[in-house]
């Protein structure tokens, strides 16, 4: 039997482990909840990796800033974890070959090798979740930057002096174009006297969530569809900037919002093409949703072992 490649995706609430066969197909998967404690996190990763058959190596994808040596500087959803030398700790506890990288960087690796961006040499992945993460392939290589911190697209400032971001800046792209951003646009519409039914259901403006407006838009509510169009415009301006920087052949959108591609993609692509530099005179990048769904992070983590 050939060696299984095992990857673990550390999420805010759960750690997902997968094992891949030689063809890259997922042949086993297991989950454990993510503890908010550094020592317990190391244990949880090893436990879930063993559960899918890890024997001598794992790749791990973690949310947050990860150095090229596998030190997790800070993770937004695992608040007690700071400056954790995750690769060294996992290696010392298991004796395995361990690779650690950012969760969206490894999702980009997976979509490039096996998903929607297979066959392209220049790829940008944008993870639209509660915030926005990213990954990039440049000239056929995963782009990591000088420290390993590249592709933190969510903190690209798109509105100087705009909405405050937990990162300490104002006007970051993820305040406008993530799930949090969608809720912001919906709340602004409610303050403006629109989305009455959603407001009545939620009880207060602050209680309106992105999902509420998504559900209403799926049911055909014209005011909710307007909010989706506003939101799509903010997604598009960031994608235009990324296109000007990277000149990608493919842009892959992943994360929670990719659950409804038919709702979001046409508006995003329409706005993107209207703002694109020299739109009529350049090849348009493929703008598409992720092909590997919720497994992208764990699959990409396993693929780090081929790196
Ligand atoms: Zn920020």
């Amino acid at each position: 039997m050939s060696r299984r490649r095992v990857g673990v995706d550390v999420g805010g609430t759960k750690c997902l482990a997968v094992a891949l066969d030689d063809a890259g197909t997922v042949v086993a998967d297991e989950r454990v909840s993510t503890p908010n404690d550094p020592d317990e996190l190391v244990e949880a990763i090893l436990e879930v990796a063993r559960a899918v058959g890890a024997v001598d190596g794992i790749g791990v994808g973690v949310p947050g800033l990860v150095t090229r040596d596998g030190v997790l500087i800070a993770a937004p959803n695992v608040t007690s974890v700071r400056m954790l030398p995750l690769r060294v700790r996992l290696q010392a506890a298991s004796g395995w070959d361990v690779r650690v990288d950012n969760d969206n960087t490894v999702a980009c690796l997976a979509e490039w090798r096996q998903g929607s961006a297979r066959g392209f040499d220049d790829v940008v992945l944008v993870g639209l979740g509660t915030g926005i993460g990213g990954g990039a392939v440049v000239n056929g290589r995963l782009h990591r930057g000088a420290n390993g911190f590249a592709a933190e697209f969510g903190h690209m400032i798109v509105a100087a002096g705009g909405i405050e971001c937990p990162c300490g800046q104002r006007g970051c792209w993820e305040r406008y174009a993530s799930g949090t951003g969608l809720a912001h646009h919906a709340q602004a519409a409610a303050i403006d006297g629109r989305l009455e039914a959603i407001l009545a259901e939620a009880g207060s403006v602050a209680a309106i969530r992105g999902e509420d407006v998504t559900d209403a838009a799926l049911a055909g509510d014209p005011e909710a569809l307007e909010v989706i169009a506003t939101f799509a415009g903010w997604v598009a301006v960031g994608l235009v900037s990324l296109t000007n920087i990277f000149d990608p052949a493919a842009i892959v959108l992943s994360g929670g919002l990719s659950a409804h591609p038919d709702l979001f993609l046409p508006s995003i692509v329409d706005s993107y093409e209207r703002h694109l530099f020299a739109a009529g005179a350049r090849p348009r990048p493929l703008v598409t949703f992720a092909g590997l769904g919720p497994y992208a992070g764990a699959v990409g983590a396993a693929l780090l072992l081929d790196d």
Side-chain angles (χ1 to χ4, degrees):
M1 197 178 98
S2 63
R3 174 175 161 255
R4 282 183 168 189
R5 287 167 295 173
V6 169
V8 180
D9 182 19
V10 177
T13 55
K14 64 171 171 36
C15 299
L16 167 67
V18 300
L20 305 183
D21 65 12
D22 288 343
T25 306
V26 174
V27 291
D29 64 293
E30 290 287 343
R31 293 157 186 78
V32 293
S33 57
T34 303
N36 191 10
D37 172 88
D39 296 337
E40 289 173 22
L41 179 63
V42 169
E43 278 313 306
I45 292 170
L46 294 176
E47 178 200 327
V48 76
R50 286 192 181 102
V52 293
V55 288
D56 57 4
I58 50 168
V60 183
V62 286
L65 292 180
V66 185
T67 70
R68 282 171 165 262
D69 297 331
V71 178
L72 179 55
I73 301 284
N77 296 314
V78 193
T79 48
S80 74
V81 175
R82 291 203 171 266
M83 300 302 290
L84 175 65
L86 193 55
R87 190 183 64 81
V88 168
R89 291 280 306 272
L90 289 165
Q91 216 152 21
S94 64
W96 297 342
D97 174 17
V98 178
R99 318 286 172 90
V100 179
D101 215 320
N102 172 270
D103 57 353
N104 281 287
T105 298
V106 299
C108 185
L109 175 60
E111 290 293 336
W112 171 46
R113 291 288 190 213
Q114 299 189 183
S116 300
R118 185 160 32 175
F120 296 106
D121 283 340
D122 293 276
V123 176
V124 163
L125 174 132
V126 177
L128 301 169
T130 310
I132 296 179
V137 170
V138 176
N139 287 333
R141 292 190 61 181
L142 206 51
H143 182 62
R144 291 191 165 92
N147 302 293
F149 304 161
E152 285 292 338
F153 303 143
H155 301 286
M156 202 166 51
I157 295 172
V158 295
I163 306 170
E164 272 183 50
C165 181
C167 79
Q169 302 304 313
R170 281 177 175 275
C172 293
W173 188 33
E174 70 170 38
R175 294 298 98 196
Y176 301 88
S178 63
T180 309
L182 180 57
H184 163 77
H185 298 304
Q187 291 168 6
I191 289 168
D192 217 27
R194 288 172 284 144
L195 302 182
E196 262 180 38
I198 290 175
L199 176 57
E201 182 76 20
S204 71
V205 167
I208 296 176
R209 304 164 311 149
E211 293 92 324
D212 300 332
V213 76
T214 302
D215 291 344
L218 286 169
D221 178 332
E223 291 181 346
L225 287 165
E226 247 175 65
V227 172
I228 298 288
T230 302
F231 168 78
W234 282 97
V235 174
V237 294
L239 298 184
V240 167
S241 293
L242 295 176
T243 303
N244 289 328
I245 296 164
F246 288 100
D247 184 18
I251 297 175
V252 180
L253 306 177
S254 68
L257 297 178
S258 59
H260 303 292
D262 296 344
L263 179 61
F264 292 105
L265 195 57
S267 304
I268 292 172
V269 170
D270 177 62
S271 181
Y272 172 75
E273 294 194 341
R274 278 189 285 113
H275 290 97
L276 198 57
F277 182 32
R282 67 187 295 160
R284 307 276 171 87
L286 171 72
V287 180
T288 181
F289 274 96
L292 298 171
Y295 284 97
V299 169
L303 296 176
L304 285 173
L305 293 165
D306 300 342
D307 214 12

